[in-house]
Amino acid sequence: MKEWVDKFGSGVTVAAASPPGATGRPESQAAKVLRLEADLAALQAEARKLETERTSSVRRRSISPGRRTGEPLPVVEDHKDAYGVKRLCEVVEVARSSFYAWLDSAGRRAAKATDDAVLAARIWVLQDPAQGGDRAYGAPRITADLNDGVPVAERVNHKRVARVMREHRLAGIRLRRRVKTTIPDQSARRFPDLIGRDFSVGGPGRRYVGDITYLPIADGTNLYLASCIDLGSRKLAGWQVADHMRTELVEDALRAAHRDRGSLVGAIFHSDRGSVYTSKAYAALCEQLGVTQSTGAVGTSADNSLAESFNATLKRELLAGRSAFPDQATAYRAVFRWANRYNTRRRHSAIGNISPNAYEAARSATLAEAA
């Protein structure tokens, strides 16, 4: 009898995999094995399906380095051998035709990546201080440098420069201000605001702005820089560095501007209401040089924002991310070199991304031709 049952059971195929009792007779041992194997295969297939969906979901949230988050096509490429293109495209919800079109463009993407790497190397040189570059330069000035003297057909677009700088982490450095250098004197003489936050460019030698900024030294002390900037051309017409913030500091900066320009008669000098700028000694010097004083309101930097911006630029570019200069002598030399570069080479967006000296020379040539 056992031999007959075993022989009958071994002949059962798909029908034997039905649930016990479905045919009204007991399920044989062989049939039970076949049914359980079929159930196991179905469960394994479902597990693989769920694992595919889980893995693809994780990959979509965390793309491998060098790929933008949310790009599904690289996920399909990475896992197509394990799970198949059709199933992966269903999971990431893209058409298979889109995936194959993306594969066909691999050569063009590789060529673009190579071109971007070459451009990034050129940008790095333009930012390298050892090669005369400027680490604080952002996309607009870098673009101007790249396109200087280049035929129109070969110029690079500023949007591409910004993208390459962002992807290769070549953004300009930044620095925050920490030391208060404006000490108002409430009892000092008041001067009207003759600038009215109008920092537009134009004719040089007419309007100047100035301020004091600190230069941190590694031993915990500070040097102080007073500036005198020509609004018309953005030129640093006069400046002075000292280890104090007495009135002599701003007086020397104004005298330096007088020497550079030859005369300041009829010019306006605008500053904040710091005690050195509203002192009797400084007012007397302005009167002696023919300068009309102008000051902004107390407690607001917007009235002298161009000078504030100049100070931030100077420290950002000189310190290049460091917290301080190693010593005072180094700071003096750095300011001297930077001031010369600022006037002769550094590009300014307000004057067409050329240097102040180049702007003044071009304006003089234009006026001469008009005459």
Side-chain angles (χ1 to χ4, degrees):
M1 185 69 176
K2 181 178 182 298
E3 182 178 351
W4 181 84
V5 171
D6 291 341
K7 183 177 179 181
F8 176 82
S10 63
V12 176
T13 56
V14 177
S18 59
T23 61
R25 59 188 177 187
E27 184 181 29
S28 68
Q29 183 177 3
K32 180 182 291 187
V33 170
L34 289 176
R35 178 174 59 79
L36 292 176
E37 287 179 347
D39 291 345
L40 178 61
L43 289 173
Q44 288 174 337
E46 182 65 20
R48 286 194 298 270
K49 177 181 176 181
L50 294 175
E51 177 63 18
T52 300
E53 294 177 350
R54 185 194 68 79
T55 303
S56 299
S57 176
V58 171
R59 292 287 295 175
R60 291 177 69 182
R61 293 194 299 269
S62 180
I63 305 301
S64 58
R67 292 171 176 166
R68 293 191 297 271
T69 300
E71 285 188 346
L73 297 178
V75 176
V76 179
E77 169 68 11
D78 291 343
H79 298 281
K80 64 180 181 180
D81 294 335
Y83 303 109
V85 172
K86 180 179 179 181
R87 180 57 188 158
L88 287 172
C89 285
E90 291 175 355
V91 171
V92 300
E93 299 179 349
V94 297
R96 275 182 288 172
S97 59
S98 299
F99 171 71
Y100 290 118
W102 178 81
L103 280 184
D104 291 339
S105 66
R108 294 191 297 274
R109 292 198 307 276
K112 178 182 177 183
T114 300
D115 291 342
D116 285 350
V118 172
L119 179 60
R122 295 174 61 193
I123 294 172
W124 183 85
V125 171
L126 293 174
Q127 289 185 325
D128 184 11
Q131 303 185 57
D134 193 327
R135 289 185 59 190
Y137 265 25
R141 291 187 176 92
I142 289 293
T143 303
D145 269 355
L146 291 170
N147 293 334
D148 191 13
V150 176
V152 175
E154 300 177 12
R155 293 181 178 178
V156 63
N157 184 274
H158 72 282
K159 293 182 179 179
R160 183 188 174 201
V161 172
R163 175 180 59 79
V164 170
M165 292 181 68
R166 181 174 60 253
E167 292 176 353
H168 289 78
R169 299 181 180 180
L170 295 172
I173 55 178
R174 296 177 173 86
L175 189 67
R176 294 183 178 179
R177 179 173 180 160
R178 298 190 306 271
V179 175
K180 182 177 181 180
T181 55
T182 299
I183 304 174
D185 183 355
Q186 301 297 337
S187 62
R189 178 182 174 184
R190 296 182 178 274
F191 299 95
D193 185 350
L194 303 177
I195 299 296
R197 300 186 183 181
D198 176 13
F199 304 112
S200 57
V201 298
R206 300 174 183 173
R207 302 182 304 158
Y208 297 84
V209 297
D211 196 11
I212 300 175
T213 190
Y214 76 100
L215 304 173
I217 310 300
D219 61 7
T221 62
N222 292 315
L223 290 178
Y224 299 93
L225 168 74
S227 58
C228 184
I229 308 161
D230 192 321
L231 281 181
S233 63
R234 298 299 194 260
K235 180 174 183 177
L236 180 59
W239 59 275
Q240 181 61 39
V241 174
D243 59 359
H244 61 80
M245 288 195 299
R246 297 191 295 270
T247 305
E248 302 96 278
L249 175 63
V250 294
E251 289 178 330
D252 289 344
L254 189 63
R255 290 192 181 97
H258 178 263
R259 290 192 297 270
D260 179 82
R261 293 311 198 188
S263 174
L264 293 178
V265 175
I268 294 173
F269 178 81
H270 181 79
S271 67
D272 56 35
R273 293 186 181 272
S275 59
V276 291
Y277 287 115
T278 56
S279 66
K280 293 181 180 180
Y282 192 73
L285 178 62
C286 288
E287 185 176 353
Q288 176 187 336
L289 299 178
V291 174
T292 301
Q293 284 188 262
S294 168
T295 58
V298 175
T300 175
S301 61
D303 289 348
N304 202 27
S305 59
L306 189 138
E308 296 276 356
S309 176
F310 171 88
N311 292 340
T313 297
L314 178 143
K315 287 190 290 186
R316 182 177 66 244
E317 298 182 7
L318 282 181
L319 288 169
R322 297 171 298 172
S323 59
F325 294 97
D327 51 61
Q328 291 191 359
T330 300
Y332 275 113
R333 290 193 297 269
V335 171
F336 181 83
R337 289 192 299 267
W338 185 88
N340 179 68
R341 185 181 184 279
Y342 182 90
N343 287 332
T344 60
R345 294 181 53 194
R346 190 184 188 280
R347 299 178 184 275
H348 296 256
S349 57
I351 52 177
N353 268 329
I354 59 177
S355 69
N357 283 4
Y359 176 84
E360 291 189 359
R363 186 175 177 86
S364 296
T366 301
L367 294 176
E369 290 177 2

